Amino acid sequence: MKVLLAGGAGFLGSHISNNLIENNHHVTVLDDLSTGSLTNIEHLKSNPNFTFIEHDVREPYDIEVDTILNFACPASPVAYQQDPVRTIETNFLGMINLLHLAKETGAMVIQASTSEVYGDPKESPQQEEYWGNVNPIGIRSCYDEGKRAAETLCFDYKRQYGLDTRVLRIFNTYGPNMSQNDGRVVSNFIVQALKNEPITVYGKGDQSRSFCYVSDLVDGIYKLSTLAKPIATPLNLGNPNEFTVLELAKSVIEVTGSKSEILYKALPQDDPKQRKPDISKAIELLEWQPEIELLEGIRKTVDYFKSVV
Ligand SMILES: NC(=O)c1ccc[n+]([C@@H]2O[C@H](COP(=O)([O-])OP(=O)(O)OC[C@H]3O[C@@H](n4cnc5c(N)ncnc54)[C@H](O)[C@@H]3O)[C@@H](O)[C@H]2O)c1
């Protein structure tokens, strides 16, 4: 494949870059480095199959490719709420620009959507057919509604112009290369635990999340990228094993052997109470299932953060 990977210097993008290069594909990363880092892709820069271009996807970009992966968007609530107008612009204008490029080149497009499109779900586990429960005017909307609009664009370009667009709904994923201060729960807890600082749990910590280790997710993304036939439905990708945030905090303390205490703080607005993907479609269409258990994934991620904190 000749791949354009938008957001390739970020947490997920850097792992996807590694995976594509290992599988002998050509990769051009477009990234404005707003939340990503050149350090994540430094080791790839001398590879002849790899090109990095600093570019904001809100502006059009022309290149001959056959596959476009759109991972350009800040993903942590702290980062995406810092400049919400920029976030929704990135989701909407970035998607339009990449779809327009796909229309010109005939490329297939994979959009990194999110479990946030289900908002604070009234159904669990969340199936792809569920339309979600999203606050359209809250502080998370720039991200949630931006991603929903991007999904709409993918399906409209598919219906109207016959494009091969594939929408991936990613559930909480963690692992090496997460930024240590971007406020996501797994990196937050690990960094706090390694520094023996209080672990900040929002609310009572009884809200649930399903945590997927990054290598499992990248495996699923690769299967979707190389799937011969187009798919007609969005696809959930994540680990269906559900844990409360408090259980996660305790697991992190166990793995790190930290002296950190748990500090309870007020729940942020619109924080979803439950997240659990139904992955039966991914199992059927991609023959994919996550394999890494939470404790094993935490151990690998702790090893990474020990080298950077
Ligand atoms: N990590 C998760 O758990 C998760 C869950 C659901 C969805 N996603 C989606 O996956 C994608 C990647 O997430 P991540 O966790 O790697 O986040 P990240 O913040 O580490 O990566 C995002 C990358 O996009 C780049 N970017 C942001 N705005 C841009 C713009 N306007 N133009 C060009 N580049 C831009 C950033 O510099 C960064 O390199 C995002 O679209 C996110 O919504 C991630």
Side-chain angles (χ1 to χ4, degrees), residues 7 9-13 30-36 55-58 70-75 86 90 112-114 143 147 170-173 184:
F11 159 50
L12 294 181
L30 283 192
D31 199 301
D32 69 352
L33 301 176
S34 50
T35 56
H55 179 82
D56 185 333
V57 292
R58 291 178 298 167
N70 182 20
F71 283 72
C73 177
R86 188 182 184 288
T90 295
S113 191
T114 167
Y143 184 75
K147 290 284 185 181
I170 301 168
F171 284 65
N172 287 48
T173 301
R184 286 189 255 194

